[in-house]
Amino acid sequence: MNSNQVRTQFLDFFKSKQHSIVASAPMVIKDDPTLMFTNAGMNQFKEYFLGNGIPKSNRIADTQKCLRVSGKHNDLEEVGKDTYHHTMFEMLGNWSFGDYFKKEAIHWSWELLTKVYKIDKESLYVSVFEGSKDADNLSLDTEAYDLWKAIVPEERIIFGNKKDNFWEMGDQGPCGPCSEIHVDIRSDEEKSMVPGKDLVNNDHPHVIEIWNLVFMQYNRKADGSLEKLPAQHVDTGMGFERLCMVLQGVKSNYDTDVFLPLIQKIEKVTHSPYGKNEETDIAIRVIADHVRAVAFAITDGQLPSNTGAGYVIRRILRRAIRYGFTFLNTKEPFIYQLAETLSNQMGDAFPELLAQKNLVANVIKEEEASFLHTLDQGLELLTQVIAEAKDKTISGKKAFELYDTFGFPIDLTALILSERGYALDEVGFHKELQKQKARSRAASEIATEDWTILKEANKEAFVGYNQTENQVHITRFRKVDSKKDGQLFQIVLNSTPFYPEGGGQVGDKGILTPILSPKEREISPSSGGVGEDIEIIDTKKENNLILHFTKKLPSNVNATFTAKVDTFLRNNTAKNHSATHLLHQALRSVLGTHVEQKGSLVSPDYLRFDFSHFAKLSVAELQQVEAFVNARIEEQLPLIERRNISYNQALEDGAIALFGEKYGDSVRTIQFGKSMELCGGIHVNNTANIWHFKIISEGAIASGIRRMEAITGDAVKYYFSEQENKLNKINQALKNPQDVIKALHSLQDENAKLKKQMEGLLKDKATNLKGELITEIQEVNGILFLAKEINLDATGAKDLAYELGNLGKNLFLLLATVQDDKPMLTCYISKELVAQKGLNAGQVVRELGKYIQGSGGGQPFFATAGGKNSAGIPEALEKAIDYIKQ
RNA sequence: GGGGAUGUAGCUCAGUUGGCUAGAGCGCUUGGCUGGCAGCCAAGAGGUCGUGGGUUCGAGUCCCAUCUUCUCCA
């Protein structure tokens, strides 16, 4: 059974049990500050378990793309070394939200594994939670045990402790016991030697957990206690790659058809056979695994970068490049060629791979090239370090510098050092790394306090599409302390007109004004019935809650408030957002439909739009794009907004959905003429409100990705008036010529001409002066001597001194100049004289400098000194001869 | 967000404790030589030393700010 069939059968099975099948959520998470990537199947349903949202169906099944790069068993550095750990993997899952519970979950899992997938019952083991004697004092999960006992012989039921069989989402929230299904795929011979039961949960590569059924029946409260949930949920997860391994009768995930095509392609491209040598095999597994993670991340809109989630992706890709470089001897980009293999293989299940095949390849290729360059530079630096080493050990500090500053991987450093007979101080290296980590942590520490819950509200209603002002009350708040922003409060309201940051659009700002009670009004009659305004400085979404950020709390948090959005900012933002849609349409119309939105920022000041395209836009194209958008503005297209239409209906109607965005089943579409997009943002009622659209910049941000910045509305007026101002000033400066450009050119020409003339004149002057000075040179004790004040600047004096210095080998020259009332002495002594007589120009200017109240220095044959008192020049010149008199 | 590095000729880079009039290789222009595989020789053009302040007699070099790019950590 091939992997595509395995996946389909899973989904079909649960469809037949009345589950609705949903698409995988994006692997890259955008609106949860606590999580960068989806790391478990339940992530996209978190809000349902927390009670912040209601699922469209209480039975759901899906396959979820997940990414894990850290954690107990999933350190990135371990992936590839064994045959069963991965960065990116698929998690098959079925879910019940307050619907069915243990009985169905257990029966169905058994039915699917043994009847549909036909796994030998004899090789399966199941575990149940044994209870705990700690503060929670939980008893054995008898319900699960009895259910299993009816279908599985007792000797294959295992009791698991809290660590293995009690699942918690975090410190707080829904949790409960779980039942795991393990499978033993060892040979009969091995089985006869050690019973499988003894190997369950013991990290044996062939006795493995394949399915975890979590029964959420408790809520962990902030004080650590457990309470029973009113509604009970089921959350299951089955590792897809492992399942394929079991069903395909192989002993390694990498031997399944999930990975084989990639491995074969790597073998072909790098001429390295798989299965012949352990080091090569590890490298091939690393590359096969990592390219999947990177490709899926890119299709979700996450490009490799040097911060945040993008940095994680970069690290994964670079690890793959490094393994290829070291163990497969690849010195040129090659991983990008796997993008095609991967999209052929998984494109049916994940259409985003097919659609963005070229982009994925381009981005990977670019990253490979740049990292290979980094490696090259690092190699050179390392060679230098080795050459300078005093003994056979390279300090951890030095190695860390290579790693930290130049990005040269530490394991490569260690490898090369050992090859050349040097040792690496690894302890020192890790010390430095720890220091760096501590520094970063200290700089970004955030202390989040518990929520203070004032009123239990079902769900916070967003009313901002219809109004910008609303009467509200606070349902909960908490304090957040960070080094960066200081102390802030997050406030949740029962209903809010404030748009939370999302879909590229920044969060609303505004104020919260308490409405005073009659009693409070009595105390403070001058208030006019309103209390002190609280400024809302930002609005963000977290787990479907809308958080309003303030610097302080209202004095009475239980009051009723008027929540008022800053409409000036909001209106400008709306213009930019609508213009973003028109720009998207324009780009697809002018450049082609390969243009995909790759990122977007919509703020009150400007809009930024990243999109996939392979080349720099020509001036003509930019003008076309601008003209297209402005034509739509002139057409005065009214906003056609549809709320709560089904996702599929929206797509059928022709709405553009974005890869890497998470959409519910019920979506909102925004249409202006022929531009229709799925969007939750704020828009103008008519394109005419945008007034005008102007592109400010266009450039590349990654291979195949370009960024455009533009402005609308009043910002365009300011822009043009500023340009006009500049032009006016230029005109004025040029005395209002008829043709500025012509005037400017002639000015430039003239300037060049004058410069040349000037150079000539200066040369003449210097020659004249030189000639003049030559005649004044005296011979004293066989030394050519001159001390004179001249009318030149510092560089002129220097030039002249060198010129004269070229005349002979026994010159002693002291020149005095005055610039801006500041006297300066320049002394030149031929090198031969310096050597013969032990003269030193530096000493000369320092000593003579005192006459002009100055100081100075230089080299023995040439030195300068500056001072304050130009009246002292004659005396200084007079004394100069003393140096050569003896 | 924090740390480190980086920016010098069209390109790749040197430039010492601040002090020869800022250099090299490649490329470019011109002239000459030559039976090639990076032809050779000679001459030449090309630089706001990222930007803005400061210290100093003197700053590519030191200090402060700022921007670019790279890199590590979060």
Side-chain angles (χ1 to χ4, degrees):
Chain A
M1 189 186 296
N2 73 35
S3 55
N4 283 324
Q5 291 167 326
V6 172
R7 191 187 294 112
T8 312
Q9 284 203 354
F10 178 89
L11 299 175
D12 286 348
F13 177 82
F14 281 102
K15 206 186 229 167
S16 77
K17 308 290 185 197
Q18 290 77 50
H19 285 62
S20 60
I21 309 302
V22 303
S24 173
M27 196 169 73
V28 182
I29 294 180
K30 283 169 187 152
D31 60 359
D32 186 345
T34 61
L35 210 55
M36 278 184 192
F37 302 102
T38 297
N39 63 4
M42 56 78 61
N43 287 157
Q44 70 160 316
F45 307 116
K46 207 166 143 190
E47 57 183 276
Y48 305 145
F49 294 123
L50 286 169
N52 297 340
I54 300 151
K56 61 153 187 183
S57 158
N58 48 23
R59 290 186 184 185
I60 287 178
D62 69 352
T63 180
Q64 173 66 49
K65 29 189 186 177
C66 300
L67 187 74
R68 286 187 192 169
V69 287
S70 59
K72 189 172 54 159
H73 287 299
N74 248 84
D75 192 349
L76 176 60
E77 287 304 322
E78 295 306 315
V79 173
K81 293 184 179 162
D82 57 41
T83 57
Y84 52 98
H85 281 122
H86 302 294
T87 50
M88 183 267 165
F89 59 94
E90 280 179 68
M91 191 71 103
L92 301 166
N94 58 293
W95 318 84
S96 156
F97 305 105
D99 187 26
Y100 64 82
F101 204 46
K102 294 181 190 175
K103 184 176 150 210
E104 292 84 350
I106 287 174
H107 280 152
W108 288 339
S109 65
W110 193 254
E111 183 187 341
L112 178 63
L113 291 181
T114 60
K115 300 248 168 65
V116 178
Y117 289 140
K118 299 198 169 56
I119 298 175
D120 179 12
K121 290 177 194 171
E122 304 293 313
S123 61
L124 292 172
Y125 294 85
V126 302
S127 65
V128 295
F129 179 49
E130 65 183 2
S132 75
K133 293 269 180 293
D134 58 10
D136 292 334
N137 195 25
L138 296 162
S139 55
L140 165 75
D141 187 357
T142 48
E143 193 185 352
Y145 181 72
D146 291 341
L147 286 163
W148 279 121
K149 211 166 64 177
I151 43 176
V152 183
E154 268 181 74
E155 66 267 20
R156 287 215 303 279
I157 303 179
I158 293 150
F159 296 100
N161 60 20
K162 208 168 175 182
K163 180 177 134 273
D164 289 324
N165 282 71
F166 193 87
W167 191 87
E168 305 207 39
M169 192 165 73
D171 298 341
Q172 292 175 42
C175 55
C178 60
S179 251
E180 295 170 344
I181 305 174
H182 296 256
V183 62
D184 181 355
I185 55 168
R186 292 174 305 155
S187 65
D188 291 342
E189 194 190 347
E190 285 172 294
K191 283 179 181 174
S192 67
M193 283 159 66
V194 185
K197 192 172 178 175
D198 296 349
L199 297 172
V200 168
N201 276 333
N202 268 321
D203 288 335
H204 191 287
H206 300 137
V207 181
I208 51 171
E209 173 202 333
I210 51 168
W211 205 342
N212 189 4
L213 315 175
V214 179
F215 311 120
M216 292 202 199
Q217 55 191 63
Y218 301 109
N219 182 32
R220 173 79 67 190
K221 301 211 297 191
D223 63 6
S225 65
L226 289 177
E227 67 180 3
K228 217 159 168 85
L229 279 176
Q232 300 175 322
H233 314 293
V234 172
D235 155 12
T236 85
M238 173 152 60
F240 172 69
E241 292 77 10
R242 286 180 177 191
L243 178 64
C244 290
M245 169 174 80
V246 173
L247 298 182
Q248 293 176 7
V250 292
K251 295 284 166 68
S252 155
N253 289 0
Y254 292 90
D255 290 340
T256 65
D257 71 333
V258 179
F259 289 96
L260 272 181
L262 292 171
I263 290 177
Q264 284 160 357
K265 180 83 179 188
I266 297 168
E267 286 183 298
K268 200 175 142 204
V269 176
T270 64
H271 311 290
S272 307
Y274 184 68
K276 295 272 189 290
N277 167 303
E278 182 64 12
E279 271 187 347
T280 313
D281 289 359
I282 291 175
I284 291 177
R285 286 197 292 265
V286 164
I287 295 161
D289 175 276
H290 291 3
V291 73
R292 282 165 33 102
V294 173
F296 275 97
I298 294 171
T299 58
D300 273 353
Q302 185 58 65
L303 299 171
S305 75
N306 55 0
T307 53
Y311 182 57
V312 175
I313 300 306
R314 167 168 283 176
R315 256 167 54 198
I316 296 174
L317 181 50
R318 292 193 164 187
R319 183 167 183 258
I321 300 168
R322 197 171 92 209
Y323 270 85
F325 181 84
T326 311
F327 300 110
L328 307 182
N329 204 31
T330 50
K331 309 299 179 218
E332 296 293 326
F334 74 101
I335 297 173
Y336 71 96
Q337 295 177 45
L338 299 173
E340 168 129 41
T341 313
L342 187 63
S343 74
N344 288 341
Q345 182 191 342
M346 300 185 77
D348 286 339
F350 301 94
E352 63 268 33
L353 281 177
L354 268 181
Q356 304 185 67
K357 187 172 73 180
N358 290 334
L359 176 74
V360 170
N362 280 337
V363 169
I364 293 179
K365 191 176 182 182
E366 187 82 3
E367 187 70 21
E368 283 188 271
S370 95
F371 188 54
L372 287 169
H373 183 236
T374 301
L375 287 179
D376 262 352
Q377 282 182 326
L379 280 175
E380 229 164 88
L381 285 165
L382 182 58
T383 310
Q384 224 171 311
V385 169
I386 291 173
E388 286 165 7
K390 293 197 180 72
D391 52 26
K392 287 279 174 183
T393 302
I394 301 299
S395 75
K397 206 164 180 171
K398 207 78 209 168
F400 183 74
E401 189 192 324
L402 271 175
Y403 168 76
D404 180 46
T405 303
F406 302 103
F408 197 69
I410 186 63
D411 50 354
L412 217 54
T413 303
L415 187 78
I416 291 167
L417 287 180
S418 76
E419 275 173 9
R420 302 197 191 169
Y422 284 80
L424 168 69
D425 170 19
E426 284 192 42
V427 177
F429 174 83
H430 281 106
K431 236 191 225 159
E432 293 292 324
L433 186 62
Q434 286 313 316
K435 266 197 249 168
Q436 151 110 312
K437 286 190 175 182
R439 240 196 331 261
S440 286
R441 245 195 305 277
S444 62
E445 223 160 53
I446 298 178
T448 307
E449 288 188 0
D450 274 348
W451 284 111
T452 303
I453 300 195
L454 301 175
K455 295 185 181 78
E456 283 294 352
N458 295 335
K459 200 187 171 245
E460 179 176 29
F462 174 68
V463 297
Y465 292 141
N466 301 326
Q467 55 203 85
T468 54
E469 198 174 326
N470 196 22
Q471 262 199 24
V472 301
H473 54 259
I474 298 174
T475 57
R476 58 168 86 178
F477 64 88
R478 69 178 172 190
K479 192 164 100 180
V480 178
D481 226 328
S482 76
K483 276 249 162 72
K484 191 184 135 212
D485 303 319
Q487 182 181 300
L488 292 177
F489 293 92
Q490 299 177 340
I491 294 176
V492 180
L493 305 171
N494 64 322
S495 113
T496 182
F498 281 75
Y499 180 83
E501 180 182 314
Q505 185 180 328
V506 300
D508 275 333
K509 296 180 186 194
I511 51 169
L512 211 52
T513 310
I515 302 168
L516 299 186
S517 64
K519 201 173 159 194
E520 287 165 320
R521 230 175 288 183
E522 239 169 69
I523 300 167
S524 161
S526 61
S527 65
V530 292
E532 187 198 5
D533 285 348
I534 300 291
E535 202 180 333
I536 292 174
I537 55 173
D538 200 0
T539 312
K540 284 183 181 167
K541 208 177 202 178
E542 186 176 314
N543 290 320
N544 217 28
L545 284 178
I546 298 175
L547 310 180
H548 305 78
F549 289 72
T550 66
K551 286 203 171 133
K552 58 180 174 179
L553 277 180
S555 48
N556 177 8
V557 291
N558 289 305
T560 303
F561 298 86
T562 306
K564 198 172 167 193
V565 174
D566 184 327
T567 49
F568 175 76
L569 297 177
R570 160 75 83 91
N571 290 338
N572 285 337
T573 305
K575 287 174 196 173
N576 283 332
H577 203 154
S578 301
T580 299
H581 284 206
L582 298 178
L583 171 61
H584 193 185
Q585 186 195 6
L587 289 169
R588 288 172 73 94
S589 150
V590 173
L591 303 176
T593 48
H594 63 276
V595 168
E596 300 264 3
Q597 175 173 341
K598 281 291 146 207
S600 161
L601 174 73
V602 179
S603 80
D605 306 322
Y606 73 109
L607 67 95
R608 193 174 75 200
F609 192 75
D610 299 343
F611 57 99
S612 49
H613 184 58
F614 41 81
K616 181 165 181 59
L617 270 69
S618 66
V619 176
E621 281 168 336
L622 285 173
Q623 282 170 350
Q624 277 179 56
V625 169
E626 223 171 66
F628 183 101
V629 174
N630 283 317
R632 301 292 86 73
I633 293 171
E634 267 172 48
E635 282 171 17
Q636 311 195 359
L637 300 167
L639 165 69
I640 302 170
E641 177 195 4
R642 287 186 200 82
R643 294 185 200 167
N644 299 320
I645 75 164
S646 86
Y647 178 76
N648 290 329
Q649 183 62 49
L651 291 195
E652 265 173 48
D653 291 349
I656 296 179
L658 304 177
F659 289 118
E661 267 323 301
K662 179 180 157 191
Y663 295 108
D665 288 291
S666 160
V667 295
R668 175 171 177 259
T669 62
I670 292 297
Q671 184 182 355
F672 292 105
K674 284 181 180 149
S675 151
M676 199 199 310
E677 292 192 30
L678 299 188
C679 180
I682 307 287
H683 289 270
V684 295
N685 288 322
N686 189 298
T687 56
N689 296 355
I690 300 170
W691 191 74
H692 197 77
F693 172 83
K694 174 90 190 109
I695 296 170
I696 296 301
S697 73
E698 193 272 344
I701 54 165
S703 166
I705 311 272
R706 309 206 56 89
R707 168 169 292 178
M708 195 175 267
E709 291 178 333
I711 49 175
T712 62
D714 285 346
V716 180
K717 292 184 191 169
Y718 293 135
Y719 176 79
F720 281 138
S721 78
E722 213 170 279
Q723 295 295 317
E724 198 190 358
N725 261 334
K726 255 189 222 166
L727 187 62
N728 281 341
K729 278 184 189 156
I730 292 172
N731 264 315
Q732 272 170 27
L734 293 174
K735 311 271 185 261
N736 297 311
Q738 278 186 335
D739 185 340
V740 209
I741 296 166
K742 213 170 146 191
L744 202 62
H745 279 150
S746 75
L747 198 66
Q748 281 172 336
D749 289 346
E750 200 178 345
N751 187 40
K753 223 190 280 170
L754 288 175
K755 236 183 190 168
K756 257 193 185 157
Q757 268 181 26
M758 188 75 175
E759 262 172 40
L761 286 173
L762 277 177
K763 224 178 190 173
D764 285 352
K765 186 182 172 191
T767 320
N768 286 340
L769 197 56
K770 197 171 129 191
E772 208 177 294
L773 290 180
I774 286 171
T775 62
E776 295 182 30
I777 292 176
Q778 315 162 24
E779 198 173 326
V780 182
N781 291 342
I783 294 169
L784 297 174
F785 172 82
L786 177 68
K788 188 175 168 59
E789 181 173 354
I790 55 169
N791 182 21
L792 276 177
D793 65 349
T795 19
K798 190 176 187 178
D799 283 345
L800 187 63
Y802 276 95
E803 289 263 336
L804 290 171
N806 285 336
L807 292 177
K809 296 184 171 175
N810 56 344
L811 179 71
F812 184 109
L813 184 69
L814 182 72
L815 297 174
T817 53
V818 180
Q819 279 278 292
D820 303 328
D821 279 342
K822 279 182 167 172
M824 205 181 120
L825 300 177
T826 302
C827 178
Y828 182 97
I829 305 172
S830 297
K831 281 182 181 171
E832 290 76 7
L833 270 184
V834 171
Q836 282 167 31
K837 309 261 177 180
L839 287 166
N840 185 319
Q843 200 187 334
V844 171
V845 296
R846 264 191 300 277
E847 286 169 9
L848 297 178
K850 67 187 174 202
Y851 298 110
I852 56 167
Q853 289 176 27
S855 64
Q859 298 120 287
F861 75 101
F862 180 84
T864 55
K868 293 175 199 141
N869 176 24
S870 42
I873 287 177
E875 199 173 359
L877 293 173
E878 216 170 280
K879 299 275 192 226
I881 200 157
D882 295 349
Y883 287 93
I884 53 167
K885 267 197 171 154
Q886 306 91 355

